[in-house]
Amino acid sequence: MSRKKQDIIIENVLVESVAAEGKALAKVDGTVLFIPFAVPGDIVDVRVTKKKKNYMEGTVVRMVTPSEHRLEPFCSHFGVCGGCKWQPLPYDMQLAAKQQQVYDQLVRIGHLDVPEISPIVPSDETVYYRNKLEFTFSRRRWIFQDEDPESMSDQERCGLGFHVGRFFDKVLDIRHCYLQKDPSNRIRLFIRSYALEHGLEFFDIRGHSGFLRNMFIRTTEAGDVMLIICFYHEDEKARTRLLDAVAAEFPQITSLYYVINGKANDSISDQECILYKGDVAIYEYMEGLRFKIGPKSFYQTNTRQAYKLYGVAREYAALTGKETVYDLYTGTGTIAQFVSSGAARVIGIEYVPEAIEDAKENAVANGITNCEFFAGDMKDILTGEFISEHGKPDVIILDPPRAGIHPDVAGVILDAEPERIVYVSCNPASQARDLAILGSKYAITAVRPVDMFPHTHHVENVVKLEKKADL
């Protein structure tokens, strides 16, 4: 161990395993050391960035001996961009780490009584698997060490890409992203080039000034493309010229929207999305069902894996055709309609009103007559009175946000006493907390992770709960 300018450098550290949050784990004199971008088997020199009583964190400053498992990252932005941190890790090791993550959260940390966890469902595609990406315009792009910021023009400081981790005001200028298939990259690069050539101001998140703010690209398996460009203020002439140029360059854009968002954050959930050209929505298909996706709609971002995820949920629901099913956090009603043919009735509840309108329209388009949808905050909508009015659920399927379910919602579910609960989660930690609450009346009878996000530590997990026999 050597020390320089108060830095602590630990030499010849053997990386032992993959740890939480996508970091790797090593042990130094009995103390756990967490290291990002390392692979089990690497021998590295590490600069300690945080030292606590029970653990340390650090970064690799020198690769002494690379692991036999280590792969060459395929993306030139690896290590700076906050995404796809597991590129050097073989996919089978990624899957094993995610399987272990689910076990750790439910059993080792959550102390839940869980049957043997089924093998994780792998993703057929490990690149170009996302159907939605958001990019940010910034006049304060990430500056690399070999660049001289003093010699840069204002244009050279501009970037269009992703926020760099830990720096809310820094954006990495993306040249090629492996997450979304074309024409995503070409659209982004064209807009960046057009904006610079025509002097359109990129956004300054600190000073809250500029013209171009952020943009969303959504794609479907059938090739539909939705583009949403968000402006900080209205400039009809400049806006129209940009939108016309994009539409002319990319006739495959089937739905072109814009938003004027002058508020403090980038979210468009409370903003008006104005259709400029094309169709009001794009459409995804699953088992012959059509799902409308508008500019604010929630739809699982890995389309092909969503089909597998919903398949596991439907299997765990074990429907016979007689059940009343509640689909909580239904989004655009995808799961609700996916299981509707096996149920007597399905009731979907979702916070976003636009999503519920899409769900209703989807049901009509698909000829589904046994689904009802309601919009509102889950803890306000799902009450004992609501269940009395709309019928007691035999099965509840829920797919909440990362934070999990509100205690009031858990209480109503327990009072309703459905025979089965299927809990789909993107966060096994909050899921474990909620499962402990539901455990007063329910036993966990099946668990299966699904990999929706290759090259990241994120994992979806599906849990089946059945009412205990003695209740």
Side-chain angles (χ1 to χ4, degrees):
M1 182 180 297
S2 63
R3 186 182 297 267
K4 181 181 180 182
K5 293 183 179 179
Q6 298 183 349
D7 282 349
I8 299 176
I9 305 295
I10 307 177
E11 299 176 342
N12 297 312
V13 175
L14 173 63
V15 179
E16 298 181 11
S17 62
V18 179
E21 300 300 319
K23 296 176 182 177
L25 180 148
K27 291 182 180 177
V28 178
D29 298 330
T31 300
V32 171
L33 173 61
F34 295 108
I35 316 164
F37 305 118
V39 171
D42 283 343
I43 299 176
V44 293
D45 293 347
V46 178
R47 174 181 287 110
V48 176
T49 57
K50 180 184 291 186
K51 190 172 183 180
K52 297 292 185 179
K53 182 178 179 181
N54 298 321
Y55 72 94
M56 297 183 290
E57 295 182 8
T59 58
V60 175
V61 293
R62 185 171 77 96
M63 178 66 65
V64 179
T65 305
S67 168
E68 63 178 357
H69 304 296
R70 173 173 282 275
L71 302 177
E72 186 67 25
F74 52 80
C75 179
S76 63
H77 302 300
F78 174 77
V80 181
C81 173
C84 305
K85 294 179 181 178
W86 275 358
Q87 290 179 46
L89 195 65
Y91 190 52
D92 60 340
M93 295 181 71
Q94 295 182 30
L95 295 175
K98 294 183 184 193
Q99 184 95 10
Q100 185 65 41
Q101 178 186 341
V102 170
Y103 175 86
D104 288 345
Q105 292 294 344
L106 269 59
V107 180
R108 187 176 64 82
I109 300 173
H111 305 295
L112 298 172
D113 185 8
V114 173
E116 182 177 357
I117 298 173
S118 298
I120 187 170
V121 179
S123 177
D124 293 333
E125 299 171 310
T126 58
V127 293
Y128 303 121
Y129 61 82
R130 286 187 67 101
N131 56 42
K132 179 185 177 184
L133 283 179
E134 176 183 356
F135 302 103
T136 299
F137 295 88
S138 175
R139 69 177 70 169
R140 296 171 179 265
R141 73 166 174 87
W142 180 260
I143 306 297
F144 292 90
Q145 288 185 344
D146 60 353
E147 294 181 300
D148 178 16
E150 298 301 323
S151 64
M152 287 183 177
S153 66
D154 289 343
Q155 282 199 347
E156 290 172 328
R157 291 175 179 269
C158 291
L160 174 57
F162 300 127
H163 284 277
V164 177
R166 299 178 289 112
F167 297 93
F168 81 97
D169 61 336
K170 299 296 184 184
V171 167
L172 179 65
D173 195 43
I174 298 292
R175 296 302 175 177
H176 186 92
C177 180
Y178 286 86
L179 285 174
Q180 190 176 36
K181 61 187 177 182
D182 272 339
S184 177
N185 280 298
R186 290 190 292 114
I187 290 173
R188 185 189 67 258
L189 292 175
F190 174 83
I191 292 174
R192 177 187 183 279
S193 176
Y194 178 96
L196 293 176
E197 289 176 9
H198 292 80
L200 303 184
E201 284 190 327
F202 287 35
F203 193 59
D204 181 349
I205 195 171
R206 283 184 178 272
H208 281 273
S209 62
F211 181 53
L212 294 167
R213 185 160 188 171
N214 59 316
M215 56 181 275
F216 301 82
I217 301 176
R218 307 187 78 150
T219 56
T220 69
E221 290 292 294
D224 292 342
V225 179
M226 175 183 288
L227 172 64
I228 309 162
I229 301 180
C230 303
F231 303 89
Y232 184 56
H233 62 82
E234 175 65 294
D235 181 336
E236 184 176 1
K237 184 177 180 180
R239 171 181 57 77
T240 301
R241 285 180 174 177
L242 171 60
L243 294 174
D244 286 343
V246 173
E249 184 72 16
F250 298 98
Q252 62 267 58
I253 294 177
T254 50
S255 182
L256 179 57
Y257 277 88
Y258 71 91
V259 175
I260 309 298
N261 178 13
K263 62 186 178 66
N265 61 68
D266 289 340
S267 171
I268 64 170
S269 61
D270 57 350
Q271 300 293 294
E272 180 184 8
C273 295
I274 303 168
L275 181 65
Y276 186 73
K277 283 188 178 180
D279 301 327
V280 296
I282 55 179
Y283 299 90
E284 201 59 82
Y285 297 84
M286 192 180 296
E287 285 192 353
L289 300 175
R290 188 192 80 165
F291 296 103
K292 177 184 177 182
I293 303 170
K296 299 183 185 180
S297 297
F298 171 79
Y299 195 86
Q300 288 284 355
T301 53
N302 186 334
T303 302
R304 295 186 182 183
Q305 281 302 95
Y307 179 57
K308 296 180 183 180
L309 179 74
Y310 298 158
V312 174
R314 183 169 60 185
E315 174 191 342
Y316 285 2
L319 302 176
T320 65
K322 300 178 181 179
E323 294 85 359
T324 293
V325 178
Y326 278 32
D327 179 26
L328 310 184
Y329 313 93
T330 190
T332 55
T334 316
I335 292 180
Q337 293 174 68
F338 190 70
V339 305
S340 63
S341 62
R345 297 174 62 226
V346 183
I347 293 173
I349 303 174
E350 166 62 38
Y351 177 74
V352 181
E354 292 89 349
I356 286 297
E357 291 307 309
D358 286 345
K360 292 177 179 178
E361 186 174 327
N362 286 336
V364 171
N366 290 321
I368 294 173
T369 58
N370 64 339
C371 288
E372 298 177 77
F373 296 100
F374 301 88
D377 191 303
M378 189 63 62
K379 64 180 174 57
D380 298 329
I381 293 285
L382 187 68
T383 62
E385 291 77 11
F386 181 92
I387 290 174
S388 296
E389 180 179 352
H390 297 281
K392 178 180 181 296
D394 301 296
V395 177
I396 288 180
I397 302 173
L398 62 154
D399 185 4
R402 287 189 62 80
I405 60 177
H406 191 279
D408 291 350
V409 174
V412 173
I413 291 174
L414 287 169
D415 289 342
E417 294 190 346
E419 291 300 314
R420 290 177 299 285
I421 301 171
V422 181
Y423 191 147
V424 182
S425 173
C426 61
N427 183 2
S430 61
Q431 184 184 42
R433 178 204 65 209
D434 295 339
L435 292 173
I437 297 172
L438 298 173
S440 62
K441 289 187 178 181
Y442 289 86
I444 298 172
T445 57
V447 180
R448 186 152 205 188
V450 179
D451 184 24
M452 302 287 286
F453 308 104
H455 306 302
T456 79
H457 67 277
H458 298 293
V459 60
E460 294 271 339
N461 192 45
V462 189
V463 174
K464 179 180 179 180
L465 302 101
E466 297 183 83
K467 191 163 66 171
K468 293 178 179 177
D470 56 351
L471 292 175

